[in-house]
Amino acid sequence: MQGNVAVTAERRLSPNEAEALWRSWKTAKDIKARDRLVMSYAPMVRYLASRKARVIPSHYDLDDLISCGLMALMAAVDRFDPVKGATFEQFAWTRVGGAIVDELRRLDWAPRSVRRLERETNEARDAYQLREGRAPSEHELAATLEIPIDDLRTRLSELERADIVSLSAKVHTAESSPAEIGETIEAPLDNGDPETSLLAGERSDILKRAIAQLPEREREVLTLVHVHLIGGAEIGRMYGVSESRVSQILASARERLRLAIDSYDAIYTAA
């Protein structure tokens, strides 16, 4: 398609009108017919993406989901077959919705089981707050979920590890336009203190050595997630393991790094 597909307020097409446009494109390669078909259903893409955006973590970018959905819509134009019985709208709805869900899974390293627990926990917390007018304590939340307190703490720990926020995520500031999270993080002030600068450099060296000493698989997974920003599902396919296993490997790597830093900090504090 030439140019970008804009999301416009095109009049909703009837099934017969949509099929007529599709046939003009399919048989006569009428680009204007194809463009009108895509632009007529572009609002549907925004609707599906926005509906997903209400229930996904804030670091997902709505525009990226819309772009993914538009690509699926254009592909649907080429793959539609009225002989199979569905209208173009039904076919496009299924293709676009599936593409958006696939994109979310690709971007999310956490296994679906963790996301299911996250939804369940948030729903229980919201229900308690609506009923009691305040947020629940750990024991109250565990009782609402009907699970032991130790199981709740394990679950919350897993959810915390799964909460990765991109530094490129948009946040609203006092300025008129949104900024990226990375732009709002101030550089630490050491007031020119040589000792502070030296300790920061030593700490960085400790972390680098700890990363270099990680088992090969843990080091690779850590790099894929935090450097290349590859999701857990895709990493699992690369290594032939489950998403849960990828989550375990990543958690193990982070724990090793935490212990290395804690050991260094303990030595410095004792000194």
Side-chain angles (χ1 to χ4, degrees):
M1 185 171 192
Q2 297 173 345
N4 294 327
V5 179
V7 179
T8 60
E10 287 276 333
R11 179 180 64 84
R12 183 171 182 175
L13 300 175
S14 69
N16 289 338
E17 288 174 326
E19 185 173 337
L21 288 172
W22 174 81
R23 290 191 182 280
S24 294
W25 161 245
K26 197 69 175 180
T27 59
K29 296 302 178 184
D30 184 343
I31 294 178
K32 289 184 179 179
R34 181 193 62 180
D35 288 357
R36 187 185 170 200
L37 186 60
V38 171
M39 295 181 71
S40 294
Y41 287 99
M44 178 191 71
V45 174
R46 175 173 285 277
Y47 169 76
L48 290 173
S50 300
R51 191 174 67 170
K52 275 293 178 186
R54 299 192 196 109
V55 296
I56 59 177
S58 60
H59 59 275
Y60 288 108
D61 190 87
L62 177 60
D63 289 339
D64 288 343
L65 294 185
I66 291 174
S67 296
C68 171
L70 288 172
M71 293 295 291
L73 175 60
M74 289 186 281
V77 173
D78 291 326
R79 296 175 182 174
F80 175 60
D81 184 357
V83 174
K84 295 183 178 180
T87 66
F88 178 78
E89 182 172 347
Q90 292 169 336
F91 180 75
W93 182 287
T94 301
R95 300 286 301 191
V96 170
I100 290 174
V101 169
D102 287 345
E103 178 68 4
L104 290 173
R105 288 173 179 168
R106 186 186 71 81
L107 294 173
D108 191 3
W109 72 268
R112 272 174 277 179
S113 59
V114 171
R115 293 305 179 199
R116 178 180 56 77
L117 292 177
E118 181 178 40
R119 288 193 300 272
E120 182 182 290
T121 304
N122 289 339
E123 287 171 1
R125 185 182 287 112
D126 291 343
Y128 185 95
Q129 184 152 3
L130 184 64
R131 184 175 67 251
E132 302 294 336
R134 60 177 177 81
S137 66
E138 271 192 345
H139 288 279
E140 290 165 338
L141 182 57
T144 301
L145 289 166
E146 299 181 346
I147 60 175
I149 185 67
D150 289 341
D151 289 354
L152 174 64
R153 288 169 179 164
T154 299
R155 176 185 297 195
L156 294 177
S157 178
E158 291 178 356
L159 297 181
E160 184 178 354
R161 289 198 300 270
D163 189 20
I164 298 177
V165 178
S166 169
L167 292 180
S168 298
K170 302 295 183 183
V171 292
H172 293 285
T173 64
E175 309 296 333
S176 57
S177 58
E180 294 183 356
I181 289 179
E183 297 172 345
T184 67
I185 301 175
E186 296 183 1
L189 299 176
D190 57 17
N191 297 319
D193 182 0
E195 183 180 2
T196 302
S197 298
L198 177 61
L199 290 174
E202 288 180 353
R203 209 165 187 264
S204 177
D205 290 340
I206 291 293
L207 183 59
K208 290 176 182 177
R209 286 199 294 271
I211 292 174
Q213 293 170 0
L214 287 174
E216 183 179 0
R217 179 62 59 86
E218 291 185 8
R219 188 170 62 251
E220 289 175 350
V221 169
L222 196 71
T223 301
L224 289 172
V225 169
H226 292 290
V227 178
H228 300 291
L229 304 180
I230 297 177
E234 188 171 346
I235 294 173
R237 287 192 293 270
M238 291 168 60
Y239 287 106
V241 299
S242 66
E243 290 179 88
S244 297
R245 179 56 184 150
V246 173
S247 177
Q248 293 170 0
I249 293 171
L250 189 59
S252 175
R254 288 173 172 166
E255 180 65 13
R256 292 178 195 272
L257 298 181
R258 185 188 67 78
L259 290 174
I261 293 298
D262 286 351
S263 296
Y264 168 77
D265 289 344
I267 293 173
Y268 170 72
T269 302

